[in-house]
Every structure is written in structure tokens, then in C-alpha cells.
Amino acid sequence: VVGVVIYRNTHPDNSGQSQSASASYAALQKVANTPPGASDRGGFLISKHGYNKRVENAPTVAEYFAPLCPGCAALNRQVDPTLKALVDAGQINLELHPMSFMAQLSTDEYSSRVSGSIAYIASHDDNPDHLIAYMEAIYAEDFQPKEGTTNYQPVSAAKLKAQALKAGVPTAIVDKAFGRQYQKWLDAVNDYTPKRPELWNTEGSNKGAMTTPTVTINGKALNMVQIAQLGIPLKSAVLQSLGLAESAVGSQGAMPSIGAAGKPLAPKAS
């Protein structure tokens, strides 16, 4: 948990941004070339039924992440296998929100290239297992590059394509996934998302600003600072927040107690 919190990457302070959230939302809706699988807020919904087919009475877990963010990688490695099992069992809906604001912390706009490919794959490959496997490959310890232009090592398109192919994404889709078709949409997402007050930190040094990774359950952001202070594994905190025992992960018919509209429960130290 400490690693996730320490390496959270802060978007520029919301108070210094010129447009309101509503104006930025309106601008996002006006982007001409939008990923067809994306929601109006820039997310891609996955359930056991596939893309954009919500499981009724199941809570929705949303992840906001950037491909170059070390904390997002830690979140992916610690929590995403459990979220995948919950999705497969119909216990949750999962919403993925790729962001690319860290592109300037590389020499080849890495975050924009990868987030653009995630948006393309999510919109053109009808098997969400491929996308989840691709994200796992991107966040693998032996693949994710270090942020910062000083230590950054460029990642070729061929290497990124190889990760997507390894994840099962069809070749015809991989060949088009890195064309940067959705860059204007990503820019609009980067402008709008950090202005959503429900995603802002409520305490700590980043209070009043959105950081990545951010996790929400039924629209309510988890308090990463509090979870770190409790000293509990992030996976345990997510399951506690859902109201689901770890032994019930993947069990058909065992649903989180908070349902589709309840507030996440406060995690407690064991």
C-alpha cells in the first residue's frame, strides 16, 4: 500500500485550471473522433457480459490510471487479478479510465501512445480479457519504463505491439491501435477528469486535487491515505469496501453487500 501512495502522480492543481468542470465536460462531448466504446466521462465498462453490458445489482469499481505511473503499476499488480476474478463471476462491473497527462515525463509520449491503444483496443476488440491482459503486460515490472526524461528509456511501437499480441489482441486491431486516433479525446479527458470534485483527495498533501491511481466504488473515491495509515493490503481494503469476504472472490452468487448503489464500507485494520 505504501508504494501505491508514495508514487501517486499529481495532476496540476485543480484551482489553477481555467475552465469549469461543466465547460470541460461539454468540450469532451464535442470531440469529433471519440472512441466508440467510451462513456461520456471517458471510461470503458467491462462486465462478465462483455463491454458496456452492466451486471444489475453489482457494484461498479472504477480505476483512473496513467501507463507511466509507478503507483498505477503497483495497483495493477496487487489488485487487478482480484478485480478480474470478480468481473468473471459477475460480482462487480469494472470501469477503466486511461489518462495520458504523464506524456511529458517521457521522451516519446509514452502515456499518450499506450492510453490511445487502450482506448482503441477497448473499442474494437470485443473480448475484454485481451485488454486486461494487455494492461497487465504494460505494467509488468520488467516492461514498464521509468518516468522522467532523465532516466526514461524509449519504448518502440514494435515492443508495445508485441505486448498487445501476447495479450491476445488480434493482429488486425494491433496494427491500428497505435495510430494516435484519439489524442484530442485523451487531451479532453485529461482536462475534464481532474476537475471532478468526487475524485479529489480529501486529506493529505494532495488534498483538493486528483491523483493517479484513483479508485472509486459506486462513484465514491477510496481514501488511499487512510488505507496506508491502517497498514492493510490494498486488495483487502477494496474487498472490505465492497463488503465481500476474500474467500467469496469468484464465487457465483456471492455478491458484495453494498450492491449497485451503496456507499463503500470503511476498511478496518485486521
Side-chain angles (χ1 to χ4, degrees):
V1 177
V2 173
V4 173
V5 176
I6 288 176
Y7 290 110
R8 302 180 83 204
N9 296 282
T10 309
H11 189 280
D13 192 331
N14 301 282
S15 62
Q17 297 170 352
S18 56
Q19 294 189 88
S20 67
S22 59
S24 293
Y25 174 80
L28 175 61
Q29 309 315 305
K30 293 178 182 177
V31 174
N33 195 20
T34 297
S39 71
D40 62 337
R41 289 190 167 193
F44 299 90
L45 183 80
I46 295 171
S47 79
K48 71 173 184 178
H49 303 308
Y51 284 109
N52 295 319
K53 298 174 183 178
R54 192 178 299 274
V55 173
E56 297 296 329
N57 302 319
T60 298
V61 177
E63 291 185 338
Y64 297 77
F65 58 90
L68 196 56
C69 162
C72 300
L75 175 72
N76 179 273
R77 296 166 198 157
Q78 294 177 32
V79 179
D80 278 26
T82 297
L83 296 182
K84 172 67 164 56
L86 293 172
V87 168
D88 290 345
Q91 294 170 299
I92 65 167
N93 301 297
L94 178 62
E95 198 172 75
L96 301 174
H97 289 258
M99 301 180 70
S100 63
F101 64 89
M102 293 181 68
Q104 73 274 14
L105 295 179
S106 67
T107 58
D108 59 2
E109 298 189 326
Y110 180 83
S111 280
S112 292
R113 293 159 63 211
V114 176
S115 287
S117 69
I118 289 171
Y120 191 93
I121 292 168
S123 296
H124 295 87
D125 182 353
D126 61 5
N127 187 342
D129 288 351
H130 295 163
L131 179 64
I132 292 174
Y134 174 55
M135 289 176 55
E136 180 183 355
I138 289 297
Y139 281 132
E141 291 187 68
D142 61 355
F143 186 85
Q144 187 191 36
K146 293 182 179 179
E147 60 180 327
T149 54
T150 301
N151 298 320
Y152 182 81
Q153 296 295 319
V155 181
S156 68
K159 288 183 178 179
L160 290 171
K161 288 181 179 181
Q163 296 297 82
L165 290 170
K166 182 173 68 174
V169 182
T171 302
I173 293 174
V174 172
D175 287 343
K176 297 180 179 179
F178 298 90
R180 307 287 295 276
Q181 301 93 327
Y182 303 129
Q183 188 56 53
K184 289 185 178 180
W185 174 81
L186 283 171
D187 292 341
V189 166
N190 291 340
D191 182 62
Y192 165 63
T193 304
K195 295 175 181 175
R196 294 171 53 186
E198 72 273 20
L199 302 179
W200 296 353
N201 295 293
T202 57
E203 60 180 291
S205 59
N206 293 321
K207 182 178 180 180
M210 182 210 172
T211 51
T212 58
T214 288
V215 177
T216 69
I217 296 178
N218 289 343
K220 177 72 173 179
L222 298 189
N223 189 328
M224 295 292 195
V225 173
Q226 182 185 66
I227 291 170
Q229 291 172 343
L230 289 171
I232 57 177
L234 190 52
K235 180 178 75 171
S236 298
V238 170
L239 290 174
Q240 286 185 37
S241 299
L242 288 167
L244 187 71
E246 187 165 356
S247 60
V249 172
S251 298
Q252 298 288 338
M255 297 298 289
S257 67
I258 65 170
K263 294 182 180 179
L265 305 176
K268 298 179 181 179
S270 57

